[in-house]
Amino acid sequence: MFGIGEIAIVLIVLILVLGAKKLPELARSAGKSARILKSEARAMKAEGGPEPQATYQVRPTPHEDGTAR
């Protein structure tokens, strides 16, 4: 049977062969998106925008007797 490495190589070759026309367009689009994101991040930093906040909550771990810390 084929391993993960061989499957990855075959998929990369297929993508290059079948999507060769679209690759330059996709690369340009990704570059533009990255530049826009970078400039917006700089603008927020310059304005003193809100700091990123954690999106998770820390729950207390129970003691051996079953009570929370």
Side-chain angles (χ1 to χ4, degrees):
M1 221 27 157
F2 294 112
I4 294 175
E6 290 89 2
I7 292 173
I9 291 172
V10 170
L11 287 175
I12 290 171
V13 169
L14 282 174
I15 289 170
L16 289 175
V17 170
L18 298 177
K21 292 181 182 179
K22 297 288 182 180
L23 283 178
E25 182 182 328
L26 290 173
R28 273 191 293 274
S29 177
K32 286 180 184 178
S33 298
R35 272 179 277 177
I36 291 170
L37 180 63
K38 197 174 187 180
S39 67
E40 291 295 325
R42 276 194 205 128
M44 279 189 69
K45 199 174 206 179
E47 290 176 2
E51 293 293 320
Q53 297 177 0
T55 57
Y56 59 89
Q57 295 178 352
V58 177
R59 295 183 183 170
T61 56
H63 286 276
E64 291 179 5
D65 60 359
T67 61
R69 292 184 186 181

